[in-house]
Amino acid sequence: MRKTASIQKTKELFKIGMIRLLKKKLLTDITIIELCEESKVSRRTFYRYYNNTMELIEEIVKETIELYTEELRSQVKKGHSVDDAFYSFWYKEKELIHLLTINGLIQMVFLPSLEVLIEFHNTDIKDDQNEIDLIYQHGGMWSVLVYIISNNIDLYDHKILQSLHLNINHNE
């Protein structure tokens, strides 16, 4: 049990270090040595858990998708719409979305989040056309979200919410 906690702590240091470095430079310019220095963890330890920096990014995204799935289920149970849950969750993760976007990696989040929505709506999907409609809507939602984040627009601005036809409860 203690070993698992130690592993999680070490991996968390790598994730924090990676996010700090991504704020300064592109992923392709980050070396393992830099990441280890930033994380204050040895290279040997890095290679114990990951083969390369992309595997670390994949783990960060996977954990974020798991949180998104939990949040989506929770918010819908509380009566919020899927759109509300989508925008409120991903807007909180705007730093990650921005960093993935500038590194050309936004598809790492887009595709798994689409799978979550398809799974979530599976009972509502009657045929291929309904699934295509859901995929189209999801793509539009992502486009709007990335535009808002890339242009540093406040999602919770009344005009933006009104134009998105959302009713997101702002709890900040």
Side-chain angles (χ1 to χ4, degrees):
M1 196 66 121
R2 212 181 284 166
K3 190 173 185 175
T4 302
S6 175
I7 291 169
Q8 286 307 110
K9 182 179 179 183
T10 301
K11 286 183 165 192
E12 191 62 29
L13 290 172
F14 283 126
K15 292 170 192 168
I16 292 167
M18 177 58 79
I19 296 298
R20 279 192 207 135
L21 287 173
L22 285 171
K23 290 178 185 178
K24 300 174 193 172
K25 54 180 28 180
L26 294 175
L27 178 63
T28 55
D29 297 331
I30 296 173
T31 66
I32 302 294
I33 293 170
E34 285 177 302
L35 175 59
C36 292
E37 288 173 0
E38 184 71 33
S39 305
K40 301 196 182 345
V41 182
S42 73
R43 259 180 53 192
R44 185 175 181 175
T45 302
F46 177 85
Y47 286 112
R48 185 177 304 146
Y49 304 117
Y50 308 102
N51 290 314
N52 53 51
T53 54
M54 196 55 158
E55 282 186 11
L56 175 57
I57 296 291
E58 288 168 355
E59 187 171 297
I60 292 168
V61 168
K62 181 180 180 233
E63 289 177 2
T64 305
I65 291 295
E66 289 169 0
L67 291 172
Y68 169 62
T69 304
E70 292 171 20
E71 182 71 15
L72 185 64
R73 286 191 176 109
S74 171
Q75 292 300 315
V76 169
K77 278 184 184 177
K78 293 177 183 177
H80 298 275
S81 75
V82 172
D83 289 359
D84 290 353
F86 171 88
Y87 282 110
S88 64
F89 179 84
W90 290 114
Y91 191 74
K92 290 177 205 166
E93 297 292 332
K94 65 184 174 184
E95 180 177 73
L96 177 62
I97 296 301
H98 177 70
L99 295 173
L100 291 173
T101 300
I102 61 175
N103 281 281
L105 300 172
I106 194 65
Q107 77 281 359
M108 291 180 71
V109 177
F110 173 78
L111 294 175
S113 68
L114 174 59
E115 290 171 11
V116 169
L117 279 182
I118 288 173
E119 179 184 319
F120 188 81
H121 285 293
N122 202 24
T123 56
D124 295 339
I125 296 176
K126 309 279 189 274
D127 55 32
D128 289 343
Q129 185 59 47
N130 287 348
E131 188 169 350
I132 289 170
D133 291 346
L134 179 62
I135 292 167
Y136 181 76
Q137 177 186 2
H138 185 64
M141 291 166 60
W142 268 105
S143 295
V144 169
L145 179 70
V146 169
Y147 179 83
I148 286 169
I149 291 169
S150 297
N151 290 287
N152 203 25
I153 298 170
D154 181 6
L155 174 65
Y156 297 105
D157 178 291
H158 179 70
K159 291 177 201 168
I160 299 296
L161 290 176
Q162 198 170 33
S163 69
L164 293 173
H165 303 287
L166 296 176
N167 184 19
I168 297 174
N169 295 325
H170 186 211
N171 297 322
E172 292 184 56

PDB file of all heavy atoms in Angstrom, residues 130-158:
ATOM      1  N   ASN A 130     -28.503   9.125 -35.824  1.00  0.00           N
ATOM      2  CA  ASN A 130     -28.457   9.737 -34.497  1.00  0.00           C
ATOM      3  C   ASN A 130     -27.027   9.802 -33.971  1.00  0.00           C
ATOM      4  O   ASN A 130     -26.634  10.778 -33.345  1.00  0.00           O
ATOM      5  CB  ASN A 130     -29.345   8.976 -33.515  1.00  0.00           C
ATOM      6  CG  ASN A 130     -30.815   9.207 -33.755  1.00  0.00           C
ATOM      7  OD1 ASN A 130     -31.198  10.089 -34.508  1.00  0.00           O
ATOM      8  ND2 ASN A 130     -31.643   8.412 -33.120  1.00  0.00           N
ATOM      9  N   GLU A 131     -26.254   8.760 -34.244  1.00  0.00           N
ATOM     10  CA  GLU A 131     -24.857   8.752 -33.808  1.00  0.00           C
ATOM     11  C   GLU A 131     -24.058   9.821 -34.560  1.00  0.00           C
ATOM     12  O   GLU A 131     -23.257  10.533 -33.973  1.00  0.00           O
ATOM     13  CB  GLU A 131     -24.232   7.371 -34.018  1.00  0.00           C
ATOM     14  CG  GLU A 131     -22.858   7.253 -33.412  1.00  0.00           C
ATOM     15  CD  GLU A 131     -22.329   5.839 -33.379  1.00  0.00           C
ATOM     16  OE1 GLU A 131     -23.077   4.883 -33.643  1.00  0.00           O
ATOM     17  OE2 GLU A 131     -21.139   5.696 -33.076  1.00  0.00           O
ATOM     18  N   ILE A 132     -24.301   9.957 -35.848  1.00  0.00           N
ATOM     19  CA  ILE A 132     -23.617  10.986 -36.643  1.00  0.00           C
ATOM     20  C   ILE A 132     -23.996  12.377 -36.137  1.00  0.00           C
ATOM     21  O   ILE A 132     -23.141  13.259 -36.019  1.00  0.00           O
ATOM     22  CB  ILE A 132     -23.930  10.817 -38.147  1.00  0.00           C
ATOM     23  CG1 ILE A 132     -23.222   9.569 -38.651  1.00  0.00           C
ATOM     24  CG2 ILE A 132     -23.522  12.047 -38.944  1.00  0.00           C
ATOM     25  CD1 ILE A 132     -23.619   9.125 -40.038  1.00  0.00           C
ATOM     26  N   ASP A 133     -25.260  12.572 -35.810  1.00  0.00           N
ATOM     27  CA  ASP A 133     -25.698  13.857 -35.259  1.00  0.00           C
ATOM     28  C   ASP A 133     -24.964  14.166 -33.960  1.00  0.00           C
ATOM     29  O   ASP A 133     -24.541  15.306 -33.728  1.00  0.00           O
ATOM     30  CB  ASP A 133     -27.210  13.863 -35.008  1.00  0.00           C
ATOM     31  CG  ASP A 133     -28.026  13.854 -36.287  1.00  0.00           C
ATOM     32  OD1 ASP A 133     -27.448  14.110 -37.376  1.00  0.00           O
ATOM     33  OD2 ASP A 133     -29.236  13.575 -36.205  1.00  0.00           O
ATOM     34  N   LEU A 134     -24.802  13.158 -33.100  1.00  0.00           N
ATOM     35  CA  LEU A 134     -24.096  13.343 -31.833  1.00  0.00           C
ATOM     36  C   LEU A 134     -22.625  13.686 -32.078  1.00  0.00           C
ATOM     37  O   LEU A 134     -22.081  14.585 -31.441  1.00  0.00           O
ATOM     38  CB  LEU A 134     -24.210  12.083 -30.969  1.00  0.00           C
ATOM     39  CG  LEU A 134     -23.508  12.121 -29.620  1.00  0.00           C
ATOM     40  CD1 LEU A 134     -24.097  13.207 -28.729  1.00  0.00           C
ATOM     41  CD2 LEU A 134     -23.606  10.763 -28.935  1.00  0.00           C
ATOM     42  N   ILE A 135     -22.004  13.007 -33.019  1.00  0.00           N
ATOM     43  CA  ILE A 135     -20.594  13.279 -33.350  1.00  0.00           C
ATOM     44  C   ILE A 135     -20.454  14.706 -33.883  1.00  0.00           C
ATOM     45  O   ILE A 135     -19.547  15.441 -33.489  1.00  0.00           O
ATOM     46  CB  ILE A 135     -20.073  12.247 -34.374  1.00  0.00           C
ATOM     47  CG1 ILE A 135     -20.001  10.861 -33.718  1.00  0.00           C
ATOM     48  CG2 ILE A 135     -18.718  12.661 -34.931  1.00  0.00           C
ATOM     49  CD1 ILE A 135     -19.803   9.719 -34.703  1.00  0.00           C
ATOM     50  N   TYR A 136     -21.357  15.117 -34.743  1.00  0.00           N
ATOM     51  CA  TYR A 136     -21.348  16.469 -35.308  1.00  0.00           C
ATOM     52  C   TYR A 136     -21.501  17.511 -34.200  1.00  0.00           C
ATOM     53  O   TYR A 136     -20.763  18.498 -34.145  1.00  0.00           O
ATOM     54  CB  TYR A 136     -22.477  16.585 -36.332  1.00  0.00           C
ATOM     55  CG  TYR A 136     -22.565  17.932 -37.003  1.00  0.00           C
ATOM     56  CD1 TYR A 136     -21.666  18.286 -37.994  1.00  0.00           C
ATOM     57  CD2 TYR A 136     -23.552  18.839 -36.641  1.00  0.00           C
ATOM     58  CE1 TYR A 136     -21.749  19.515 -38.630  1.00  0.00           C
ATOM     59  CE2 TYR A 136     -23.644  20.074 -37.265  1.00  0.00           C
ATOM     60  CZ  TYR A 136     -22.746  20.395 -38.252  1.00  0.00           C
ATOM     61  OH  TYR A 136     -22.825  21.616 -38.862  1.00  0.00           O
ATOM     62  N   GLN A 137     -22.454  17.291 -33.312  1.00  0.00           N
ATOM     63  CA  GLN A 137     -22.679  18.220 -32.196  1.00  0.00           C
ATOM     64  C   GLN A 137     -21.438  18.295 -31.308  1.00  0.00           C
ATOM     65  O   GLN A 137     -21.017  19.379 -30.909  1.00  0.00           O
ATOM     66  CB  GLN A 137     -23.877  17.770 -31.368  1.00  0.00           C
ATOM     67  CG  GLN A 137     -24.120  18.651 -30.157  1.00  0.00           C
ATOM     68  CD  GLN A 137     -25.222  18.103 -29.248  1.00  0.00           C
ATOM     69  OE1 GLN A 137     -25.784  17.056 -29.496  1.00  0.00           O
ATOM     70  NE2 GLN A 137     -25.494  18.825 -28.188  1.00  0.00           N
ATOM     71  N   HIS A 138     -20.852  17.152 -31.021  1.00  0.00           N
ATOM     72  CA  HIS A 138     -19.669  17.109 -30.165  1.00  0.00           C
ATOM     73  C   HIS A 138     -18.509  17.887 -30.794  1.00  0.00           C
ATOM     74  O   HIS A 138     -17.819  18.648 -30.113  1.00  0.00           O
ATOM     75  CB  HIS A 138     -19.272  15.651 -29.912  1.00  0.00           C
ATOM     76  CG  HIS A 138     -18.145  15.475 -28.952  1.00  0.00           C
ATOM     77  ND1 HIS A 138     -18.225  15.837 -27.633  1.00  0.00           N
ATOM     78  CD2 HIS A 138     -16.897  14.970 -29.119  1.00  0.00           C
ATOM     79  CE1 HIS A 138     -17.082  15.567 -27.028  1.00  0.00           C
ATOM     80  NE2 HIS A 138     -16.268  15.042 -27.907  1.00  0.00           N
ATOM     81  N   GLY A 139     -18.323  17.715 -32.097  1.00  0.00           N
ATOM     82  CA  GLY A 139     -17.267  18.453 -32.795  1.00  0.00           C
ATOM     83  C   GLY A 139     -17.481  19.954 -32.704  1.00  0.00           C
ATOM     84  O   GLY A 139     -16.538  20.716 -32.485  1.00  0.00           O
ATOM     85  N   GLY A 140     -18.727  20.373 -32.843  1.00  0.00           N
ATOM     86  CA  GLY A 140     -19.045  21.796 -32.718  1.00  0.00           C
ATOM     87  C   GLY A 140     -18.786  22.317 -31.321  1.00  0.00           C
ATOM     88  O   GLY A 140     -18.248  23.418 -31.145  1.00  0.00           O
ATOM     89  N   MET A 141     -19.148  21.520 -30.314  1.00  0.00           N
ATOM     90  CA  MET A 141     -18.915  21.930 -28.929  1.00  0.00           C
ATOM     91  C   MET A 141     -17.417  22.090 -28.669  1.00  0.00           C
ATOM     92  O   MET A 141     -16.983  23.051 -28.035  1.00  0.00           O
ATOM     93  CB  MET A 141     -19.546  20.914 -27.962  1.00  0.00           C
ATOM     94  CG  MET A 141     -21.065  20.946 -27.992  1.00  0.00           C
ATOM     95  SD  MET A 141     -21.855  19.522 -27.190  1.00  0.00           S
ATOM     96  CE  MET A 141     -21.239  19.633 -25.519  1.00  0.00           C
ATOM     97  N   TRP A 142     -16.615  21.145 -29.184  1.00  0.00           N
ATOM     98  CA  TRP A 142     -15.164  21.243 -29.008  1.00  0.00           C
ATOM     99  C   TRP A 142     -14.612  22.463 -29.731  1.00  0.00           C
ATOM    100  O   TRP A 142     -13.736  23.150 -29.209  1.00  0.00           O
ATOM    101  CB  TRP A 142     -14.464  19.972 -29.491  1.00  0.00           C
ATOM    102  CG  TRP A 142     -14.296  19.008 -28.372  1.00  0.00           C
ATOM    103  CD1 TRP A 142     -15.012  17.870 -28.165  1.00  0.00           C
ATOM    104  CD2 TRP A 142     -13.397  19.113 -27.273  1.00  0.00           C
ATOM    105  NE1 TRP A 142     -14.601  17.267 -26.998  1.00  0.00           N
ATOM    106  CE2 TRP A 142     -13.604  17.999 -26.434  1.00  0.00           C
ATOM    107  CE3 TRP A 142     -12.424  20.046 -26.910  1.00  0.00           C
ATOM    108  CZ2 TRP A 142     -12.886  17.791 -25.265  1.00  0.00           C
ATOM    109  CZ3 TRP A 142     -11.711  19.831 -25.741  1.00  0.00           C
ATOM    110  CH2 TRP A 142     -11.942  18.718 -24.939  1.00  0.00           C
ATOM    111  N   SER A 143     -15.103  22.724 -30.922  1.00  0.00           N
ATOM    112  CA  SER A 143     -14.620  23.887 -31.672  1.00  0.00           C
ATOM    113  C   SER A 143     -14.887  25.171 -30.898  1.00  0.00           C
ATOM    114  O   SER A 143     -14.013  26.042 -30.798  1.00  0.00           O
ATOM    115  CB  SER A 143     -15.296  23.959 -33.035  1.00  0.00           C
ATOM    116  OG  SER A 143     -14.912  22.861 -33.817  1.00  0.00           O
ATOM    117  N   VAL A 144     -16.086  25.296 -30.353  1.00  0.00           N
ATOM    118  CA  VAL A 144     -16.433  26.481 -29.569  1.00  0.00           C
ATOM    119  C   VAL A 144     -15.549  26.565 -28.331  1.00  0.00           C
ATOM    120  O   VAL A 144     -14.999  27.627 -28.010  1.00  0.00           O
ATOM    121  CB  VAL A 144     -17.937  26.464 -29.176  1.00  0.00           C
ATOM    122  CG1 VAL A 144     -18.244  27.543 -28.148  1.00  0.00           C
ATOM    123  CG2 VAL A 144     -18.798  26.641 -30.415  1.00  0.00           C
ATOM    124  N   LEU A 145     -15.379  25.459 -27.633  1.00  0.00           N
ATOM    125  CA  LEU A 145     -14.569  25.437 -26.417  1.00  0.00           C
ATOM    126  C   LEU A 145     -13.120  25.847 -26.714  1.00  0.00           C
ATOM    127  O   LEU A 145     -12.559  26.703 -26.020  1.00  0.00           O
ATOM    128  CB  LEU A 145     -14.607  24.056 -25.767  1.00  0.00           C
ATOM    129  CG  LEU A 145     -13.781  23.911 -24.498  1.00  0.00           C
ATOM    130  CD1 LEU A 145     -14.411  24.713 -23.355  1.00  0.00           C
ATOM    131  CD2 LEU A 145     -13.654  22.443 -24.107  1.00  0.00           C
ATOM    132  N   VAL A 146     -12.528  25.257 -27.725  1.00  0.00           N
ATOM    133  CA  VAL A 146     -11.138  25.579 -28.070  1.00  0.00           C
ATOM    134  C   VAL A 146     -11.022  27.038 -28.487  1.00  0.00           C
ATOM    135  O   VAL A 146     -10.069  27.727 -28.107  1.00  0.00           O
ATOM    136  CB  VAL A 146     -10.599  24.617 -29.154  1.00  0.00           C
ATOM    137  CG1 VAL A 146      -9.269  25.097 -29.718  1.00  0.00           C
ATOM    138  CG2 VAL A 146     -10.460  23.201 -28.590  1.00  0.00           C
ATOM    139  N   TYR A 147     -11.995  27.549 -29.221  1.00  0.00           N
ATOM    140  CA  TYR A 147     -11.995  28.962 -29.614  1.00  0.00           C
ATOM    141  C   TYR A 147     -12.042  29.854 -28.371  1.00  0.00           C
ATOM    142  O   TYR A 147     -11.285  30.817 -28.259  1.00  0.00           O
ATOM    143  CB  TYR A 147     -13.174  29.261 -30.544  1.00  0.00           C
ATOM    144  CG  TYR A 147     -13.226  30.703 -30.966  1.00  0.00           C
ATOM    145  CD1 TYR A 147     -12.448  31.160 -32.021  1.00  0.00           C
ATOM    146  CD2 TYR A 147     -14.032  31.617 -30.287  1.00  0.00           C
ATOM    147  CE1 TYR A 147     -12.476  32.490 -32.404  1.00  0.00           C
ATOM    148  CE2 TYR A 147     -14.061  32.955 -30.669  1.00  0.00           C
ATOM    149  CZ  TYR A 147     -13.282  33.382 -31.718  1.00  0.00           C
ATOM    150  OH  TYR A 147     -13.297  34.706 -32.079  1.00  0.00           O
ATOM    151  N   ILE A 148     -12.935  29.537 -27.445  1.00  0.00           N
ATOM    152  CA  ILE A 148     -13.075  30.323 -26.219  1.00  0.00           C
ATOM    153  C   ILE A 148     -11.769  30.327 -25.426  1.00  0.00           C
ATOM    154  O   ILE A 148     -11.288  31.372 -25.001  1.00  0.00           O
ATOM    155  CB  ILE A 148     -14.247  29.780 -25.358  1.00  0.00           C
ATOM    156  CG1 ILE A 148     -15.581  30.178 -25.985  1.00  0.00           C
ATOM    157  CG2 ILE A 148     -14.160  30.251 -23.916  1.00  0.00           C
ATOM    158  CD1 ILE A 148     -16.792  29.486 -25.383  1.00  0.00           C
ATOM    159  N   ILE A 149     -11.170  29.153 -25.285  1.00  0.00           N
ATOM    160  CA  ILE A 149      -9.935  29.036 -24.508  1.00  0.00           C
ATOM    161  C   ILE A 149      -8.774  29.721 -25.234  1.00  0.00           C
ATOM    162  O   ILE A 149      -8.021  30.478 -24.638  1.00  0.00           O
ATOM    163  CB  ILE A 149      -9.621  27.557 -24.214  1.00  0.00           C
ATOM    164  CG1 ILE A 149     -10.655  26.996 -23.228  1.00  0.00           C
ATOM    165  CG2 ILE A 149      -8.206  27.393 -23.671  1.00  0.00           C
ATOM    166  CD1 ILE A 149     -10.620  25.492 -23.054  1.00  0.00           C
ATOM    167  N   SER A 150      -8.643  29.472 -26.528  1.00  0.00           N
ATOM    168  CA  SER A 150      -7.531  30.048 -27.303  1.00  0.00           C
ATOM    169  C   SER A 150      -7.575  31.560 -27.348  1.00  0.00           C
ATOM    170  O   SER A 150      -6.542  32.219 -27.450  1.00  0.00           O
ATOM    171  CB  SER A 150      -7.545  29.496 -28.733  1.00  0.00           C
ATOM    172  OG  SER A 150      -7.346  28.110 -28.726  1.00  0.00           O
ATOM    173  N   ASN A 151      -8.766  32.129 -27.288  1.00  0.00           N
ATOM    174  CA  ASN A 151      -8.918  33.581 -27.344  1.00  0.00           C
ATOM    175  C   ASN A 151      -9.139  34.204 -25.970  1.00  0.00           C
ATOM    176  O   ASN A 151      -9.503  35.372 -25.866  1.00  0.00           O
ATOM    177  CB  ASN A 151     -10.047  33.947 -28.305  1.00  0.00           C
ATOM    178  CG  ASN A 151      -9.649  33.656 -29.722  1.00  0.00           C
ATOM    179  OD1 ASN A 151      -8.832  34.366 -30.287  1.00  0.00           O
ATOM    180  ND2 ASN A 151     -10.175  32.586 -30.284  1.00  0.00           N
ATOM    181  N   ASN A 152      -8.947  33.391 -24.931  1.00  0.00           N
ATOM    182  CA  ASN A 152      -9.040  33.865 -23.548  1.00  0.00           C
ATOM    183  C   ASN A 152     -10.370  34.570 -23.265  1.00  0.00           C
ATOM    184  O   ASN A 152     -10.411  35.625 -22.645  1.00  0.00           O
ATOM    185  CB  ASN A 152      -7.858  34.770 -23.213  1.00  0.00           C
ATOM    186  CG  ASN A 152      -7.595  34.820 -21.735  1.00  0.00           C
ATOM    187  OD1 ASN A 152      -7.936  33.889 -20.993  1.00  0.00           O
ATOM    188  ND2 ASN A 152      -6.990  35.895 -21.276  1.00  0.00           N
ATOM    189  N   ILE A 153     -11.444  33.972 -23.753  1.00  0.00           N
ATOM    190  CA  ILE A 153     -12.785  34.503 -23.534  1.00  0.00           C
ATOM    191  C   ILE A 153     -13.353  33.861 -22.278  1.00  0.00           C
ATOM    192  O   ILE A 153     -13.190  32.662 -22.060  1.00  0.00           O
ATOM    193  CB  ILE A 153     -13.691  34.201 -24.752  1.00  0.00           C
ATOM    194  CG1 ILE A 153     -13.131  34.901 -26.004  1.00  0.00           C
ATOM    195  CG2 ILE A 153     -15.131  34.610 -24.480  1.00  0.00           C
ATOM    196  CD1 ILE A 153     -13.791  34.488 -27.296  1.00  0.00           C
ATOM    197  N   ASP A 154     -14.032  34.634 -21.475  1.00  0.00           N
ATOM    198  CA  ASP A 154     -14.640  34.113 -20.258  1.00  0.00           C
ATOM    199  C   ASP A 154     -15.917  33.356 -20.616  1.00  0.00           C
ATOM    200  O   ASP A 154     -16.900  33.957 -21.050  1.00  0.00           O
ATOM    201  CB  ASP A 154     -14.954  35.253 -19.284  1.00  0.00           C
ATOM    202  CG  ASP A 154     -15.559  34.786 -17.973  1.00  0.00           C
ATOM    203  OD1 ASP A 154     -15.649  33.555 -17.739  1.00  0.00           O
ATOM    204  OD2 ASP A 154     -15.947  35.650 -17.173  1.00  0.00           O
ATOM    205  N   LEU A 155     -15.904  32.050 -20.441  1.00  0.00           N
ATOM    206  CA  LEU A 155     -17.070  31.226 -20.741  1.00  0.00           C
ATOM    207  C   LEU A 155     -18.290  31.691 -19.970  1.00  0.00           C
ATOM    208  O   LEU A 155     -19.410  31.606 -20.448  1.00  0.00           O
ATOM    209  CB  LEU A 155     -16.792  29.753 -20.416  1.00  0.00           C
ATOM    210  CG  LEU A 155     -17.975  28.786 -20.537  1.00  0.00           C
ATOM    211  CD1 LEU A 155     -18.436  28.679 -21.986  1.00  0.00           C
ATOM    212  CD2 LEU A 155     -17.615  27.418 -20.000  1.00  0.00           C
ATOM    213  N   TYR A 156     -18.075  32.196 -18.786  1.00  0.00           N
ATOM    214  CA  TYR A 156     -19.186  32.565 -17.921  1.00  0.00           C
ATOM    215  C   TYR A 156     -19.703  33.979 -18.159  1.00  0.00           C
ATOM    216  O   TYR A 156     -20.561  34.445 -17.436  1.00  0.00           O
ATOM    217  CB  TYR A 156     -18.804  32.346 -16.458  1.00  0.00           C
ATOM    218  CG  TYR A 156     -18.524  30.885 -16.201  1.00  0.00           C
ATOM    219  CD1 TYR A 156     -17.231  30.421 -16.042  1.00  0.00           C
ATOM    220  CD2 TYR A 156     -19.562  29.969 -16.172  1.00  0.00           C
ATOM    221  CE1 TYR A 156     -16.988  29.078 -15.836  1.00  0.00           C
ATOM    222  CE2 TYR A 156     -19.331  28.630 -15.973  1.00  0.00           C
ATOM    223  CZ  TYR A 156     -18.038  28.186 -15.803  1.00  0.00           C
ATOM    224  OH  TYR A 156     -17.803  26.856 -15.609  1.00  0.00           O
ATOM    225  N   ASP A 157     -19.195  34.640 -19.189  1.00  0.00           N
ATOM    226  CA  ASP A 157     -19.738  35.930 -19.598  1.00  0.00           C
ATOM    227  C   ASP A 157     -21.188  35.687 -20.033  1.00  0.00           C
ATOM    228  O   ASP A 157     -21.479  34.763 -20.793  1.00  0.00           O
ATOM    229  CB  ASP A 157     -18.912  36.484 -20.768  1.00  0.00           C
ATOM    230  CG  ASP A 157     -19.436  37.792 -21.297  1.00  0.00           C
ATOM    231  OD1 ASP A 157     -20.520  37.778 -21.902  1.00  0.00           O
ATOM    232  OD2 ASP A 157     -18.763  38.807 -21.111  1.00  0.00           O
ATOM    233  N   HIS A 158     -22.085  36.519 -19.564  1.00  0.00           N
ATOM    234  CA  HIS A 158     -23.518  36.335 -19.817  1.00  0.00           C
ATOM    235  C   HIS A 158     -23.833  36.216 -21.311  1.00  0.00           C
ATOM    236  O   HIS A 158     -24.639  35.382 -21.726  1.00  0.00           O
ATOM    237  CB  HIS A 158     -24.319  37.490 -19.190  1.00  0.00           C
ATOM    238  CG  HIS A 158     -25.782  37.389 -19.417  1.00  0.00           C
ATOM    239  ND1 HIS A 158     -26.565  36.422 -18.799  1.00  0.00           N
ATOM    240  CD2 HIS A 158     -26.613  38.099 -20.210  1.00  0.00           C
ATOM    241  CE1 HIS A 158     -27.814  36.560 -19.213  1.00  0.00           C
ATOM    242  NE2 HIS A 158     -27.870  37.570 -20.052  1.00  0.00           N
TER     243      HIS A 158
END
